[in-house]
Amino acid sequence: MIQRAYKYRLYPDQAQAEYFNKCFGCARFIWNKMLEDKQNYYDTYHKNLYVTPAKYKNDFPFLKEADSLALANVQLDLNGAFRAFFEKRTGRPKYKSKKRSRASYTTNNQNGTVAVTDRSIRLPKIGYVRAVIHREIPEGSKIKSATVSRTVSGKYYCSVLCEIPADKKAPLIIVENTKVLGLDYSSGHFYVDSQGSTADEPHWLRVQERKLRRAQRKLSRMIEANISCYTGRRVPVYKRPLEECRNIQKQRKKIAVIHERISNQRDNWCHQESRKIANSCDAVVLEDIDLKGLAGALRLGKATNDNGFGQFRRYLEYKMEEQGKYVIVVDRFFPSSQICSVCGCKEPTVKDLKVRRWVCPQCGTEHDRDINAAVNLRNEGIRVLYTNKIQVI
Ligand SMILES: [Zn+2]
């Protein structure tokens, strides 16, 4: 079984939007209530408390108006969060905030209660909601669940999770040697490939970021003007509570909308770049880089954190898989940048990230650090294909 989600824009009417907002609120409310009870129980008895949403419905009758499956899914999510906490994989589960948390709820398909038609999506309890079905759900697939969400700019989306039977999977292709591409993640460029071409994030993303910085500056000046003094612990005392300052709230929303726009643009660009590669190559070789580790080391922080290479990689992976093509992830410890791609000798002094160009001491070839690394990844990828008995011509 392959699982795939398809996200559609919803155009609910006023009553439907109200219903969605109610469900978002109830999902958040029940999460916080159950979390509070479980946490108190854990603090006194050091044991997990079993709770269900049904228990709260008498005390808080408005919960009955929401989709009951949405509440059941919150229970599952919360249990998962606690399991992760007990197994020490994460910290304590956190409360959800009306202002900061993503407004969403997830419901399940029970014998067609969730369905995608030509121009609408059917959801439990409210029926058909107008939607733009920009892409059809593959034939023979089964709808598992649907997640409705609202963005900060007030748009509604529905992500439909489907299960596609494994026999619908594209057959694996025969790889052409010339269509194997090595991609080296580069902090200066987005990536450098084994043919020497680079991809840079388009400059209009920078333009948006300038806009964002300006808006943030404006907000901080507005807040500054509303502060009467700082107390000893540098906690500001506001002349008026921030919730009442409508212009500050408006500015906050503006910033949230710019953030949303930037992330949409980046998302779109990642899709286009990965589509180009997925259509023109048979196999792509990437390094399994630890993006978190890389951002911590050196001063590459910002450039690495926000340029969405991980996102790009996920998009590339599923686009390749759809066509029966290969994505080969090379081990993190493969010394891609230290090997000479011409003669194969190892030159450890090049490990230093500051070395951009170097000359091989054995064969005398002058290398660009990133291109050389990409070529090495490509060679390693072809080797991996051979050892896995995958035909390369
Ligand atoms: Zn060499």
Side-chain angles (χ1 to χ4, degrees):
M1 284 286 180
I2 317 158
Q3 287 202 333
R4 190 143 296 165
Y6 295 86
K7 195 174 179 181
Y8 302 104
R9 171 93 187 262
L10 290 179
Y11 291 91
D13 61 31
Q14 213 172 354
Q16 289 169 333
E18 249 164 58
Y19 169 78
F20 286 150
N21 294 340
K22 211 178 272 173
C23 286
F24 300 149
C26 288
R28 186 185 62 242
F29 180 84
I30 200 79
W31 169 280
N32 288 342
K33 273 284 164 216
M34 294 203 293
L35 175 60
E36 191 186 341
D37 288 350
K38 277 170 96 93
Q39 223 154 38
N40 288 341
Y41 191 83
Y42 176 76
D43 287 338
T44 22
Y45 305 107
H46 290 280
K47 263 190 266 169
N48 188 18
L49 174 71
Y50 180 76
V51 282
T52 61
K55 183 179 154 248
Y56 301 90
K57 281 189 181 172
N58 287 330
D59 290 345
F60 307 101
F62 60 86
L63 289 174
K64 287 176 191 159
E65 288 170 40
D67 187 339
S68 62
L69 285 167
L71 305 183
N73 281 317
V74 171
Q75 184 194 352
L76 291 179
D77 286 348
L78 188 62
N79 285 345
F82 265 94
R83 207 174 309 122
F85 167 57
F86 291 141
E87 289 167 9
K88 296 203 165 67
R89 277 182 283 131
T90 52
R92 276 180 176 237
K94 289 193 182 103
Y95 288 100
K96 291 200 189 298
S97 142
K98 187 174 182 178
K99 281 175 215 154
R100 269 167 285 115
S101 305
R102 193 171 97 108
S104 79
Y105 78 92
T106 301
T107 182
N108 302 48
N109 181 21
Q110 290 180 321
N111 290 323
T113 49
V114 178
V116 178
T117 67
D118 282 351
R119 282 180 193 165
S120 63
I121 294 176
R122 186 182 172 188
L123 289 163
K125 248 182 161 168
I126 41 161
Y128 294 91
V129 181
R130 207 158 68 84
V132 172
I133 311 299
H134 64 286
R135 183 158 302 181
E136 268 174 46
I137 282 169
E139 229 175 282
S141 60
K142 243 168 63 188
I143 295 176
K144 301 298 287 179
S145 65
T147 300
V148 180
S149 62
R150 187 189 63 213
T151 66
V152 279
S153 55
K155 297 186 188 103
Y156 292 85
Y157 290 91
C158 181
S159 173
V160 180
L161 182 70
C162 303
E163 248 178 19
I164 307 164
D167 56 15
K168 297 261 175 195
K169 220 169 159 179
L172 292 172
I173 59 156
I174 295 166
V175 179
E176 268 181 57
N177 191 301
T178 50
K179 288 188 175 174
V180 180
L181 193 72
L183 283 188
D184 183 43
Y185 170 75
S186 144
S187 55
H189 308 285
F190 192 71
Y191 64 75
V192 176
D193 73 18
S194 51
Q195 281 155 13
S197 41
T198 59
D200 287 291
E201 276 200 317
H203 85 108
W204 38 256
L205 264 177
R206 301 272 153 232
V207 174
Q208 286 294 321
E209 273 161 14
R210 201 156 61 220
K211 216 168 157 185
L212 177 65
R213 277 201 299 280
R214 220 173 274 158
Q216 279 166 334
R217 255 196 320 263
K218 189 169 172 191
L219 175 68
S220 69
R221 273 198 294 266
M222 290 163 100
I223 292 176
E224 199 74 24
N226 188 42
I227 292 173
S228 55
C229 71
Y230 279 110
T231 53
R233 291 166 64 211
R234 302 244 341 130
V235 188
V237 172
Y238 297 112
K239 290 177 194 160
R240 273 198 302 161
L242 285 179
E243 297 84 65
E244 284 173 23
C245 305
R246 294 183 65 194
N247 284 326
I248 287 181
Q249 295 312 329
K250 260 196 270 174
Q251 187 64 17
R252 278 204 170 140
K253 176 137 194 223
K254 253 186 218 167
I255 289 172
V257 171
I258 300 174
H259 271 299
E260 189 186 310
R261 189 166 162 76
I262 291 178
S263 98
N264 285 345
Q265 287 183 331
R266 174 165 292 138
D267 202 51
N268 184 42
W269 183 77
C270 280
H271 271 301
Q272 289 177 342
E273 281 301 306
S274 57
R275 174 52 72 200
K276 261 187 249 164
I277 293 175
N279 284 0
S280 62
C281 303
D282 289 350
V284 171
V285 194
L286 297 152
E287 202 174 9
D288 182 19
I289 48 160
D290 178 6
L291 283 170
K292 265 189 201 150
L294 207 64
L298 290 148
R299 269 161 289 147
L300 301 172
K302 191 167 180 291
T304 310
N305 271 341
D306 68 1
N307 72 2
F309 194 75
Q311 194 181 20
F312 167 78
R313 204 177 108 176
R314 274 200 309 283
Y315 293 167
L316 187 62
E317 272 169 7
Y318 89 78
K319 287 188 171 81
M320 297 289 279
E321 194 199 295
E322 256 174 11
Q323 303 178 56
K325 295 175 172 180
Y326 298 91
V327 172
I328 301 145
V329 180
V330 173
D331 191 275
R332 193 174 307 167
F333 301 106
F334 175 70
S336 62
S337 51
Q338 296 167 48
I339 300 172
C340 166
S341 57
V342 177
C343 70
C345 73
K346 208 173 152 188
E347 176 61 26
T349 57
V350 194
K351 212 175 162 186
D352 188 353
L353 272 171
K354 273 179 236 141
V355 182
R356 305 312 306 171
R357 299 194 75 83
W358 57 288
V359 176
C360 172
Q362 251 182 50
C363 68
T365 321
E366 200 189 341
H367 288 300
D368 174 281
R369 178 200 183 80
D370 294 331
I371 298 174
N372 179 55
V375 173
N376 282 328
L377 284 174
R378 183 188 125 88
N379 293 342
E380 174 68 8
I382 291 173
R383 197 187 64 79
V384 171
L385 285 173
Y386 275 125
T387 51
N388 285 300
K389 301 207 166 52
I390 293 158
Q391 214 176 338
V392 182
I393 50 166

